[in-house]
Amino acid sequence: QSALTQPPSASGSPGQSVTISCTGTSSDVGGYNYVSWYQQHPGKAPKLMIYEVSKRPSGVPDRFSGSKSGNTASLTVSGLQAEDEADYYCSSYTSSSTLVFGGGTKLTVL
Amino acid sequence: QVQLVQSGSELKKPGASVKVSCKASGYTFTSYAMNWVRQAPGQGLEWMGWINTNTGNPTYAQGFTGRFVFSLDTSVSTAYLQISSLKAEDTAVYYCARVGDGNWFDPWGQGTLVTVSS
């Protein structure tokens, strides 16, 4: 199972919006609404930010939103804040009953 | 609160074995599968597989068969990852993570750094 494709980096100024893409195939992202997103700060464990494409766990700011179109899922961070600077990973369930991560995107707040 | 607490860092020589533990609390251990995720230094997350906490049946991702073993002790709500015949390329942080019905990982353990060096 190949990793999902994410851009290595993304950036935006405070207050702006940034969108990170996660591209897979019809056997993973496109075939199931089981896409999730994780935020990881340096030296810390990942944290769930979005699950089932667009649902937000309690405690996650509504500045974070998720969507999906075809084989590509997206995470949008609106109203960027300094603390949003981190690595972001997508994950999807697959037709092989396995799970797969994206390669990760480093988000920089300028 | 729901929490996963992993064992501490390990320094091992090539060829040795290591066993990482992941103790769960705050929920019924056998109600959720437990997954293992590897993160090599400076690299991304890699799904290693999962273990059914009801049956003990493990599923290993490609690249994690043979030297990697998932196990459980349900009496103490603990999952284990054992790696044998350690190689330098096994140096990584290993995370356990509970998986919800929608195949999302939450929560995560704090991670265990395994360093393989002579």
Side-chain angles (χ1 to χ4, degrees):
Chain A
Q1 181 69 45
S2 300
L4 305 175
T5 301
Q6 297 183 233
S9 62
S11 63
S13 299
Q16 289 186 331
S17 293
V18 64
T19 297
I20 299 170
S21 62
C22 170
T23 301
T25 68
S26 58
S27 296
D28 39 63
V29 173
Y32 306 91
N33 287 325
Y34 290 144
V35 176
S36 50
W37 289 89
Y38 303 87
Q39 176 191 66
Q40 186 181 35
H41 287 111
K44 299 295 187 181
K47 174 188 174 184
L48 177 68
M49 303 302 283
I50 296 288
Y51 67 100
E52 294 178 0
V53 176
S54 59
K55 298 178 181 178
R56 247 186 340 268
S58 61
V60 173
D62 59 7
R63 302 183 294 103
F64 291 85
S65 62
S67 63
K68 189 182 83 166
S69 178
N71 297 336
T72 299
S74 299
L75 172 71
T76 298
V77 186
S78 306
L80 270 175
Q81 298 183 4
E83 59 262 36
D84 299 333
E85 185 162 296
D87 293 327
Y88 291 84
Y89 296 90
C90 61
S91 174
S92 177
Y93 181 74
T94 81
S95 60
S96 302
S97 300
T98 62
L99 293 162
V100 63
F101 286 103
T105 298
K106 181 177 181 59
L107 174 61
T108 301
V109 180
L110 302 170
Chain B
Q1 75 281 23
V2 177
Q3 194 174 7
L4 301 176
V5 178
Q6 297 184 226
S7 49
S9 298
E10 301 269 8
L11 174 60
K12 296 290 185 181
K13 293 189 184 302
S17 295
V18 69
K19 194 169 187 177
V20 176
S21 67
C22 170
K23 183 171 178 59
S25 61
Y27 72 98
T28 301
F29 182 68
T30 52
S31 293
Y32 296 85
M34 190 66 75
N35 284 239
W36 291 93
V37 176
R38 182 172 77 178
Q39 187 168 38
Q43 302 301 308
L45 303 174
E46 192 173 13
W47 184 69
M48 300 175 65
W50 64 285
I51 185 165
N52 184 317
T53 52
N54 262 313
T55 64
N57 183 46
T59 298
Y60 300 98
Q62 285 182 9
F64 294 100
T65 55
R67 298 188 299 116
F68 300 83
V69 176
F70 306 149
S71 62
L72 304 169
D73 184 343
T74 56
S75 69
V76 289
S77 300
T78 300
Y80 300 95
L81 163 67
Q82 183 161 0
I83 311 171
S84 58
S85 302
L86 283 163
K87 308 174 183 180
E89 51 264 43
D90 293 324
T91 294
V93 175
Y94 292 86
Y95 293 100
C96 60
R98 188 185 76 167
V99 165
D101 292 339
N103 296 292
W104 32 260
F105 302 89
D106 183 62
W108 295 63
Q110 82 276 22
T112 296
L113 173 62
V114 175
T115 303
V116 183
S117 175
S118 55

